[in-house]
Amino acid sequence: MQKMESRGVESPSLWEKALKLIGPEKGVVHLATAAVLNAVWDLWAKQEGKPVWKLLVDMDPRTLVSCIDFRYITDVLTEEDALEILQKGQVGKKEREKQMLAQGYPAYTTSCAWLGYSDDTLKQLCAQALKDGWTRFKVKVGADLQGDVRRCQIIRDMIGPEKTLMMDANQRWDVPEAVEWMSKLAKFKPLWIEEPTSPDDILGHAAISKALVPLGIGIATGEQCHNRVIFKQLLQAKALQFLQIDSCRLGSVNENLSVLLMAKKFEIPVCPHAGGVGLCELVQHLIIFDYISVSASLKNRMCEYVDHLHEHFKYPVMIQRASYMPPKDPGYSTEMKEESVKKHQYPDGEVWKKLLAAQEN
């Protein structure tokens, strides 16, 4: 810190000013914070000889509260509120932990209905998912209304009326367009529409929610939420019915703890975002902890599963009966295989050499 001798106070350095300009608590700075602090949690859990979810479950409530930054959210969640929630979560905790170890945490699949898949591919993947025991399916929508109607009809016909269907627009629409489009897809009985508009538009999500909830369609969002403040406002505005934390977008386990507790206070189910690039491996710890120590409920709760790239991790997720089985290896489950790191290292890894050679040609 540079001293301002004339005033006798500290002034921020140019570096600190630069960080504030590209933050605070958002963007590249926040992503880097998540990376560093997630690594710290990984080391802590390995030192204790526990997976991260078990490290959290075994923590005293006061220790957990000490890990949370309550700045900017005390109008919704105070330290006293958090402590009360966690203390109540002690009741029945051992039984819920046994349940998780035996049955796992419910998951849903995103892998069979990406945009761009042909109808035949969609049918083939959906049939295989049903054979594998999946009962919750998410379909991407938003590129073409008639195409969405056709694809959703195929999926609903295949999975039947009793299984759960969700939709994901990946921020495609303006607010009125989202309401109009989803009103025409409501006949397929989706549990939610995910990211119907800009993830920064809290009031837009609230308007869409107000219009679609009477149709039985909830709003899900969160994978692009910058920080706990955005989640706080989404909850305050009644702008979502399903909250989707992300293990790397927020500032690691610490900030996710605050969001899990706010969701509990508002009684909004948490259904994490997870992709097949290590996010599944990370977020499984958070959602298992949430059930055991915070929410104590599985109603309308499930965790996303995408089946890509798990082969690069030493401790990949274990899915049984369409559920995440709690990891037992110490740490945060995202240690990559040495050969995968070497192969993908820039610019000398095998993958990059091929790409760069192709560009030159």
Side-chain angles (χ1 to χ4, degrees):
M1 296 290 283
Q2 297 172 345
K3 290 287 185 179
M4 292 182 63
E5 295 181 4
S6 59
R7 296 183 184 179
V9 296
E10 294 179 338
S11 65
S13 67
L14 291 176
W15 174 244
E16 288 172 309
K17 288 181 178 179
L19 288 177
K20 286 183 178 294
L21 285 172
I22 57 175
E25 298 191 25
K26 62 175 71 73
V28 65
V29 173
H30 217 46
L31 292 171
T33 298
V36 172
L37 291 179
N38 279 338
V40 172
W41 281 93
D42 179 58
L43 291 171
W44 185 359
K46 285 177 178 176
Q47 185 176 13
E48 295 292 329
K50 300 177 180 180
V52 163
W53 70 265
K54 180 62 171 171
L55 176 69
L56 291 167
V57 165
D58 289 348
M59 270 190 200
D60 174 82
R62 292 188 183 277
T63 304
L64 281 167
V65 170
S66 73
C67 295
I68 299 170
D69 185 352
F70 289 90
R71 285 180 302 171
Y72 313 133
I73 62 172
T74 54
D75 51 328
V76 163
L77 184 78
T78 65
E79 291 188 34
E80 291 76 18
D81 295 332
L83 186 60
E84 182 180 357
I85 291 170
L86 290 167
Q87 286 174 337
K88 287 182 178 178
Q90 298 293 300
V91 179
K93 190 171 74 170
K94 291 183 178 180
E95 288 74 18
R96 291 191 295 274
E97 182 175 341
K98 290 179 181 178
Q99 179 187 354
M100 284 291 98
L101 290 169
Q103 300 176 13
Y105 196 95
Y108 71 86
T109 178
T110 302
S111 298
C112 63
W114 296 98
L115 285 172
Y117 282 176
S118 68
D119 290 355
D120 287 341
T121 298
L122 189 155
K123 292 176 183 177
Q124 180 183 351
L125 292 174
C126 192
Q128 184 60 51
L130 286 166
K131 185 178 179 181
D132 292 340
W134 291 96
T135 60
R136 305 170 185 88
F137 300 80
K138 189 167 77 178
V139 56
K140 300 287 186 173
V141 298
D144 173 72
L145 179 57
Q146 293 309 310
D148 286 348
V149 170
R150 185 187 72 255
R151 293 164 64 250
C152 290
Q153 186 68 64
I154 290 172
I155 294 174
R156 182 49 85 186
D157 287 346
M158 290 191 71
I159 70 175
E162 75 284 354
K163 292 184 174 63
T164 304
L165 179 66
M166 292 83 69
M167 299 179 184
D168 185 355
N170 286 114
Q171 313 159 26
R172 284 269 183 165
W173 302 314
D174 282 353
V175 172
E177 187 181 17
V179 174
E180 181 181 3
W181 201 298
M182 286 308 301
S183 296
K184 294 176 181 177
L185 296 180
K187 63 182 179 180
F188 300 110
K189 304 296 182 184
L191 178 65
W192 75 54
I193 176 61
E194 183 175 331
E195 287 198 315
T197 191
S198 165
D200 297 338
D201 191 354
I202 295 165
L203 297 182
H205 276 85
I208 297 168
S209 173
K210 185 176 181 180
L212 295 185
V213 165
L215 300 179
I217 304 172
I219 306 302
T221 193
E223 69 178 88
Q224 298 290 343
C225 284
H226 301 296
N227 51 48
R228 64 196 179 282
V229 179
I230 302 297
F231 277 114
K232 180 190 76 169
Q233 293 182 18
L234 285 165
L235 290 165
Q236 288 174 313
K238 299 180 180 179
L240 79 174
Q241 286 70 48
F242 301 91
L243 188 150
Q244 297 176 307
I245 58 170
D246 183 278
S247 56
C248 294
R249 178 71 58 179
L250 297 184
S252 85
V253 174
N254 303 73
E255 190 167 33
N256 269 298
L257 289 174
S258 68
V259 177
L260 292 174
L261 290 163
M262 285 192 288
K264 172 61 178 176
K265 187 169 180 181
F266 281 84
E267 293 298 338
I268 294 294
V270 176
C271 300
H273 166 251
V277 289
L279 296 177
C280 294
E281 278 75 12
L282 286 164
V283 83
Q284 63 180 333
H285 292 267
L286 300 175
I287 200 61
I288 290 169
F289 160 75
D290 179 61
Y291 173 65
I292 295 173
S293 297
V294 181
S295 72
S297 173
L298 292 178
K299 183 179 180 181
N300 281 333
R301 295 168 186 268
M302 63 199 90
C303 187
E304 184 175 22
Y305 175 71
V306 179
D307 60 2
H308 307 326
L309 305 175
H310 299 288
E311 67 273 14
H312 297 293
F313 294 89
K314 290 184 177 180
Y315 311 107
V317 294
M318 295 180 291
I319 298 291
Q320 295 180 10
R321 302 179 299 277
S323 297
Y324 279 89
M325 300 308 295
K328 296 180 180 179
D329 294 292
Y332 212 174
S333 302
T334 48
E335 186 174 347
M336 297 188 74
K337 295 177 179 177
E338 292 180 9
E339 58 267 31
S340 292
V341 174
K342 184 177 180 180
K343 188 176 180 180
H344 290 83
Q345 196 165 24
Y346 178 83
D348 298 322
E350 177 185 334
V351 171
W352 281 102
K353 283 184 176 180
K354 289 182 179 179
L355 289 171
L356 294 171
Q359 286 181 350
E360 290 176 359
N361 296 331

